Amino acid sequence: DVKVTQSSRYLVKRTGEKVFLECVQDMDHENMFWYRQDPGLGLRLIYFSYDVKMKEKGDIPEGYSVSREKKERFSLILESASTNQTSMYLCASSTRTGRNQPQHFGDGTRLSIL
Amino acid sequence: DAKTTQPNSMESNEEEPVHLPCNHSTISGTDYIHWYRQLPSQGPEYVIHGLTSNVNNRMASLAIAEDRKSSTLILHRATLRDAAVYYCILRDALTSGTYKYIFGTGTRLKVLA
């Protein structure tokens, strides 16, 4: 089974801090994704990466950056955390081989910015 | 972005079939319809996907209307473990040749014992 592991289930940080959310997948997937999930808004794509060192903006990239130095690891960075970035963050991965390969999600990191 | 419309919530009795509807009137000819579900305190998990024909797997069945403007996810015998938010999803192509999923707010399914 594919396993996508997010480093923390819960995280509390302060306004202005630089925050790192880590995600690791164990299936050699090319694609990795970061979403945030907010009540009434569903999941929204922040950034994704289709290969090592490659990235593409999603729908809401402002205030975020990402890093993919190794194939199995995809990091989401909040450069200067703000209270409106309090949310559930979900990482996902998928293979590029074949059509319609499903995305495999981690269990999420609930981030609170005080 | 391609969009889907689902009821906010539904209820079902345990051991009974559940039909979860989805409207996707703006679907393009080559768009697949994907369904995911999200159990409490977990990330979404894949359920099923299809293009035109009805599809079955061990988790569920997917019935797609002939005009493809709507679909229905069918759970044949709901159990308490099926209580979740169910998402009907279309995809948008990204410049890299991969796809992003367009998640709506989904249908919260409550299963009554």
Side-chain angles (χ1 to χ4, degrees):
Chain A
D1 270 358
V2 176
K3 190 153 182 65
V4 177
T5 304
Q6 296 185 229
S7 54
S8 305
R9 289 301 301 269
Y10 300 94
L11 205 54
V12 180
K13 296 291 182 180
R14 297 203 174 276
T15 303
E17 280 193 69
K18 190 168 186 176
V19 180
F20 293 84
L21 301 183
E22 306 287 346
C23 175
V24 177
Q25 50 94 3
D26 65 358
M27 281 300 292
D28 203 36
H29 283 170
E30 295 85 0
N31 299 327
M32 295 188 75
F33 307 81
W34 275 108
Y35 295 85
R36 65 177 281 177
Q37 184 172 27
D38 300 289
L41 296 176
L43 277 76
R44 293 177 291 166
L45 182 66
I46 305 171
Y47 265 99
F48 86 102
S49 168
Y50 51 91
D51 204 346
V52 175
K53 296 191 187 294
M54 307 304 288
K55 61 185 178 185
E56 190 167 324
K57 292 179 180 179
D59 297 316
I60 51 164
E62 296 78 18
Y64 303 95
S65 62
V66 289
S67 172
R68 187 138 180 232
E69 296 297 318
K70 294 185 178 181
K71 193 174 185 180
E72 67 270 19
R73 186 180 298 271
F74 192 34
S75 302
L76 180 70
I77 303 155
L78 286 66
E79 299 290 344
S80 177
S82 64
T83 54
N84 63 12
Q85 292 178 308
T86 291
S87 186
M88 170 70 85
Y89 289 86
L90 290 158
C91 175
S93 72
S94 71
T95 181
R96 296 185 76 179
T97 303
R99 298 185 65 186
N100 291 293
Q101 295 300 319
Q103 292 188 12
H104 301 268
F105 285 81
D107 285 335
T109 295
R110 187 166 293 281
L111 175 65
S112 295
I113 307 295
L114 304 179
Chain B
D1 286 351
K3 288 195 167 34
T4 60
T5 305
Q6 300 176 253
N8 287 334
S9 62
M10 292 183 65
E11 278 188 6
S12 172
N13 293 319
E14 200 176 9
E15 304 293 316
E16 290 186 358
V18 182
H19 291 232
L20 298 164
C22 179
N23 288 319
H24 29 78
S25 58
T26 60
I27 192 170
S28 72
T30 56
D31 263 347
Y32 279 73
I33 301 144
H34 296 250
W35 284 82
Y36 279 66
R37 72 178 186 180
Q38 188 171 18
L39 302 169
S41 302
Q42 294 186 23
E45 65 174 343
Y46 168 80
V47 177
I48 200 167
H49 73 273
L51 182 63
T52 55
S53 304
N54 294 345
V55 184
N56 300 293
N57 66 21
R58 63 175 178 82
M59 290 180 72
S61 296
L62 177 60
I64 301 171
E66 198 168 328
D67 64 5
R68 298 198 346 109
K69 293 183 185 298
S70 65
S71 61
T72 302
L73 180 72
I74 302 164
L75 307 180
H76 295 286
R77 289 178 66 214
T79 70
L80 297 177
R81 288 175 295 180
D82 291 322
V85 178
Y86 287 79
Y87 295 98
C88 168
I89 297 163
L90 300 181
R91 304 184 309 173
D92 269 352
L94 294 163
T95 55
S96 59
T98 190
Y99 294 88
K100 68 174 182 180
Y101 286 170
I102 310 299
F103 280 83
T105 51
T107 296
R108 183 173 297 278
L109 176 65
K110 186 174 181 180
V111 180
L112 305 174

